[in-house]
Amino acid sequence: MDSILAGSLADAMVRVTELTAIASAEEVGRGDEKKADQAAVDAMRTAFNAIDFKGRVVIGEGERDEAPMLYIGEEVGTGQGPEIDIALDPLEGTTLTAKAMANALAVLAIAPRGGLLYAPDTYMDKLAIGPGLPEGVVDLHESPADNVKALAKVKGVDATQITACVLDRTRHADIIESLRSVGARIKLITDGDVAGVIATTDPSTGVDIYIGQGGAPEGVLAAAALKCVGGQMQGQLVFRNEEERARATRTGIKDFDKTYTLHELASSETVFCATGVTDGDLLGGVRQAGGFITTETLVMTSADGMVRRVSSRRPV
Ligand code: VTB
C-alpha cells in the first residue's frame, strides 16, 4: 500500500478527535451549545498544530469572516510534511452535547489536496446505503417509497423490514409520508446525520438506508467514512437563497443542480476518524472513572479498507 495517509498520520488523527472529544465532554449536559463547540474547536486546533503536516481546512467552522478558528482555508499543523486537506466538525451534535443526548461525535476526514468536495455551508439532500449491495439500487431522484421497495427486493425482505434513518424535521414530512406508505420503519433522529449515514454501514444499528436533508459539510464527512468502509451515497446541494448560492460559488461550485456520487464527494483516498462524545449507536462516549478518562474512536483508511476501533485511557 502506497499511501501518505495511513500509518502515522492516521494515528495522529485519532489523537486529534480523542482530545477534541475529551474537551467537549466537559460540557455534556450543561445546556450551553456555544461553549461546548468552542471547547471542541480550541482542542482540535491545538491538537492539529502539534502534527507534522501542512494541513488546510476545506470544510470547517465557516467562512473566515464568521469563524475565528478552523475556518475554511485556515492552515494548521507545523508546516512540515505532506500537504493534506481536512474536513472537520469538532463537535457534530452541539445540541446533543448540551442536552446530554446520544450520538455526539468529534469528527474529521483527511485527504490529499483536492480529495474532498469543497462543499459550501448549505443543506444537502442525501441518500445512503451500506456496502455489499448492487450499484445504483437506490437513487436520490426516486421516491423514498420506491427506494425502500428496491432495497427490500435486493435484500430479499419485505419493505416493512427496512429501517430508514431520517432527521426529525418538518421539512421531511413528505419523505416520512412516502416511507410510511410502504410500511418501512423510520428511525427519527433529532440531530447528527454523520452518525445517521454511517449507521447504514453497520448491521448492528438496524439502519438500512439514510434519507433526507442535512448539512452539506456533514455530507462530505459522511461520504469520507463510506469511502473507507463501502456503501453508496448520493448528495445534491440545496440552496434557499442567493446568499447560499454565493457561498457555493466561493467554494468553486459551478453546477448548482449536480447530483454528487460518493466518489465525487470524496474523490481520493481518505482517512475518517470519529470519537464519541456522548454514547451512541456507533461509539461509546467519553467516560471518566477511577482517575482515568476513556474514549472510543472509529478510524478508517480507504487505501487498505481498514476499520479500527481504538479504545484509549488517559489519566485525568
Ligand atoms: C444538520 C445535520 C447535522 O445539524 O446540519 C443539522 O447535518 C442542522 O439542521 O448533523 P437544521 O438546520 O434543520 O437544524 C446536525 O444535526 C448536527 O450538527
Side-chain angles (χ1 to χ4, degrees):
M1 179 191 44
D2 183 21
S3 166
I4 56 163
L5 294 184
S8 64
L9 204 50
D11 291 343
M13 294 304 144
V14 171
R15 215 179 139 72
V16 172
T17 56
E18 284 177 347
L19 294 174
T20 306
I22 289 171
S24 36
E26 184 50 42
E27 299 302 324
V28 169
R30 299 199 192 283
D32 191 337
E33 301 178 12
K34 282 218 171 82
K35 205 167 165 209
D37 198 41
Q38 192 59 53
V41 170
D42 287 347
M44 186 174 269
R45 191 164 180 258
T46 303
F48 273 140
N49 284 336
I51 300 171
D52 282 334
F53 77 140
K54 293 190 188 86
R56 185 177 69 183
V57 177
V58 297
I59 291 204
E61 286 291 284
E63 293 186 39
R64 189 179 192 143
D65 55 353
E66 60 196 26
M69 277 193 230
L70 298 181
Y71 54 81
I72 298 163
E74 184 173 347
E75 304 210 342
V76 293
T78 62
Q80 313 282 318
E83 299 197 335
I84 298 293
D85 278 358
I86 310 165
L88 56 86
D89 197 347
L91 188 52
E92 156 65 352
T94 52
T95 308
L96 300 175
T97 304
K99 295 185 175 174
M101 292 166 71
N103 280 319
L105 302 172
V107 45
L108 64 84
I110 57 172
R113 285 279 141 96
L116 299 166
L117 178 73
Y118 299 166
D121 193 3
T122 60
Y123 282 115
M124 178 184 276
D125 281 328
K126 307 173 195 179
L127 179 71
I129 55 173
L133 295 160
E135 200 59 38
V137 62
V138 290
D139 185 323
L140 187 61
H141 301 290
E142 299 294 338
S143 71
D146 285 346
N147 280 325
V148 164
K149 282 193 263 176
L151 189 57
K153 197 168 172 200
V154 296
K155 287 195 168 190
V157 298
D158 194 76
T160 56
Q161 298 312 308
I162 296 291
T163 299
C165 182
V166 180
L167 264 177
D168 193 4
R169 294 293 188 276
T170 49
R171 64 174 177 272
H172 292 150
D174 290 352
I175 290 175
I176 290 167
E177 194 184 321
S178 179
L179 291 169
R180 294 270 183 239
S181 74
V182 288
R185 292 183 207 270
I186 306 176
K187 176 172 177 160
L188 286 169
I189 53 171
T190 62
D191 266 305
D193 72 355
V194 175
V197 169
I198 298 172
T200 63
T201 69
D202 180 349
S204 75
T205 65
V207 172
D208 300 288
I209 183 166
Y210 179 86
I211 308 179
Q213 202 176 88
E218 286 86 344
V220 175
L221 280 161
L226 261 58
K227 179 99 183 184
C228 298
V229 75
Q232 298 177 46
M233 181 170 171
Q234 293 171 17
Q236 184 173 22
L237 296 171
V238 178
F239 305 103
R240 291 172 301 177
N241 50 46
E242 280 316 305
E243 204 272 317
E244 291 190 348
R245 283 172 191 274
R247 268 175 199 269
T249 304
R250 287 198 289 279
T251 60
I253 303 288
K254 293 197 173 68
D255 181 354
F256 287 175
D257 300 319
K258 186 174 167 62
T259 302
Y260 294 90
T261 64
L262 175 60
H263 303 289
E264 290 168 323
L265 294 165
S267 56
S268 68
E269 61 161 320
T270 178
V271 175
F272 174 89
C273 196
T275 301
V277 176
T278 57
D279 286 344
D281 293 342
L282 299 166
L283 290 162
V286 176
R287 281 185 196 286
Q288 190 171 324
F292 292 98
I293 297 180
T294 54
T295 52
E296 208 176 303
T297 300
L298 184 63
V299 56
M300 317 199 266
T301 51
S302 69
D304 55 0
M306 181 209 71
V307 177
R308 189 164 28 139
R309 280 174 182 274
V310 181
S311 177
S312 300
R313 198 184 79 166
R314 293 175 166 79
V316 176

